[in-house]
Amino acid sequence: QALLFTTSGVLYVQGETLGAETIAPPVFLQPDKLLWIRSSHLLLHGKLELIGAEGGQAVRLEMEFNAVGWRLMDAEWRGLVGKIVDLPPLPPDALLRESEHEQELLEDLPPKFSFGLRKYGLYTGEILHGAIFQPPIWDKHWALFPKQLTANTLLALTNASVIVIDEDRALVRKSQQYGYRITRIPRHAIAGVAAADVNGLHELTFTLARAGAESERRWMLEPQTVEQWLALWETHNSPGTPPA
């Protein structure tokens, strides 16, 4: 498999898979037609997911790789993200100039997630409006073998995108999760944000539309977390609110 970054988009090509009757066709996605993207960095397991529009339909690009190789594509990935949110990425050695408000927001987060947001989210020079951290939620009906419903999750809102950083679900309460999954949704792809009650929790849904294609991203959260997010979203997305 090969992932090729070009001046006009990203091209994914796969070779023949053992036992497969056909070879998967190439996938080419343009930055201005992407609905959402995700990069996963879970120890040595890396994964890229991109959903974009092609011919008015949602097309998915999914690629797994050895996470050690992330450094080989980091600069190109940053460039792609910059095009998606219409902001040029900062040079790798650039020092972020955080406002007092942004510093306060980041200091209130768990160290792992403040570091992750700085490293994997705020390299385009975006302005951080708010960040809400959701601790893991466990199913209380299974006392001996509890099931984790959702892992540590951070929702961040900038002037250009929604960034969600979460972990893999844990098998037991005392296990420590390593790595991140970073989902980025360009704000101009968001057609709506809604919440629905699901067995005492709230499911936060982002409805996405771009270039004739539609998609959704969902996260299960505590009701108070969703309330805080919706208030943050309304504050910075209400009619007449100037971009900042």
Side-chain angles (χ1 to χ4, degrees):
Q1 59 181 349
L3 189 68
L4 309 175
F5 293 89
T6 75
T7 56
S8 56
V10 58
L11 174 66
Y12 179 50
V13 182
Q14 300 179 71
E16 183 177 358
T17 304
L18 183 64
E21 296 182 358
T22 59
I23 299 177
V27 177
F28 180 75
L29 295 175
Q30 298 170 287
D32 60 351
K33 295 182 180 179
L34 283 168
L35 295 161
W36 63 269
I37 63 174
R38 173 188 283 168
S39 64
S40 300
H41 313 259
L42 306 172
L43 295 179
L44 293 179
H45 179 222
K47 186 176 181 180
L48 297 179
E49 299 166 81
L50 298 89
I51 303 296
E54 184 177 308
Q57 300 292 323
V59 177
R60 187 183 190 95
L61 186 163
E62 187 171 313
M63 174 184 177
E64 296 184 80
F65 62 95
N66 188 323
V68 174
W70 177 254
R71 60 183 178 81
L72 300 176
M73 72 176 81
D74 182 52
E76 286 75 15
W77 180 261
R78 289 176 179 234
L80 177 67
V81 170
K83 293 177 182 178
I84 293 171
V85 299
D86 296 326
L87 289 171
L90 300 175
D93 57 349
L95 295 176
L96 290 174
R97 296 181 179 179
E98 298 167 357
S99 66
E100 289 188 17
H101 177 62
E102 290 174 315
Q103 290 176 1
E104 291 174 359
L105 291 172
L106 291 165
E107 288 173 359
D108 289 340
L109 300 175
K112 174 181 177 179
F113 283 84
S114 61
F115 174 82
L117 185 54
R118 284 184 169 106
K119 179 177 176 62
Y120 295 110
L122 301 177
Y123 48 72
T124 61
E126 296 175 52
I127 299 171
L128 180 63
H129 289 321
I132 302 169
F133 179 73
Q134 165 71 68
I137 303 172
W138 293 83
D139 188 344
K140 299 178 181 178
H141 294 92
W142 301 89
L144 295 178
F145 302 100
K147 177 183 178 181
Q148 191 177 71
L149 301 177
T150 184
N152 284 317
T153 304
L154 171 69
L155 297 98
L157 178 65
T158 78
N159 61 317
S161 62
V162 171
I163 303 169
V164 181
I165 301 179
D166 59 4
E167 301 173 330
D168 256 353
R169 294 183 183 181
L171 297 177
V172 295
R173 285 183 181 271
K174 294 184 178 180
S175 64
Q176 183 175 359
Q177 298 301 95
Y178 298 95
Y180 308 90
R181 296 187 305 185
I182 303 95
T183 303
R184 186 186 296 268
I185 305 172
R187 286 183 61 168
H188 39 244
I190 299 176
V193 180
D197 182 273
V198 180
N199 299 323
L201 297 176
H202 279 186
E203 186 176 60
L204 182 65
T205 301
F206 293 87
T207 302
L208 313 176
R210 207 171 190 187
E214 297 181 354
S215 183
E216 288 185 340
R217 292 302 305 149
R218 303 171 184 266
W219 283 272
M220 195 70 71
L221 303 162
E222 292 280 5
Q224 59 267 31
T225 302
V226 173
E227 290 175 5
Q228 293 173 14
W229 173 262
L230 292 178
L232 177 66
W233 177 256
E234 183 177 353
T235 299
H236 295 282
N237 204 56
S238 58
T241 301

